[in-house]
Amino acid sequence: MSAEKQTSDIEEFDTWMDEVASALAWHGGDVEATIRTLLADCKHLREQLALAQIAMGIGFTRGWSPCPERHDEVTR
């Protein structure tokens, strides 16, 4: 692994940790409240995506359709 790739991975991890810390801080360190909020946000965005899919015409996206499922893996 190159030094550049390692640095990139470290920076990406630091950014991820900052986001986690921010979410927890927003809820005063309450992990359960943080998870509940994130799940509610996820549900809301999936509903919005479903509505957008219904409203979109096939010609608008030239056959492409958004997918509500992630294809990447969640990393720690």
Side-chain angles (χ1 to χ4, degrees), residues 42-73:
C42 186
K43 179 182 177 193
H44 171 75
L45 292 173
R46 286 178 182 270
E47 290 169 352
Q48 294 297 304
L49 180 59
L51 290 172
Q53 277 183 293
I54 292 167
M56 286 176 25
I58 297 293
F60 178 71
T61 59
R62 297 185 180 176
W64 175 84
S65 178
C67 178
E69 300 301 320
R70 289 177 46 179
H71 295 289
D72 62 333
E73 300 219 2

Side-chain angles (χ1 to χ4, degrees), residues 3-4 8 11 14 24 27 29-30 34 36 38 40 44 46 56 58 65 70-71:
E4 182 179 313
S8 176
E11 289 171 355
D14 287 344
L24 285 168
H27 293 89
D30 185 346
T34 303
R36 286 182 187 280
L38 292 172
H44 171 75
R46 286 178 182 270
M56 286 176 25
I58 297 293
S65 178
R70 289 177 46 179
H71 295 289

Side-chain angles (χ1 to χ4, degrees), residues 5-17:
K5 175 67 174 154
Q6 270 186 321
T7 302
S8 176
D9 288 345
I10 291 168
E11 289 171 355
E12 186 176 320
F13 180 77
D14 287 344
T15 300
W16 179 80
M17 284 303 295

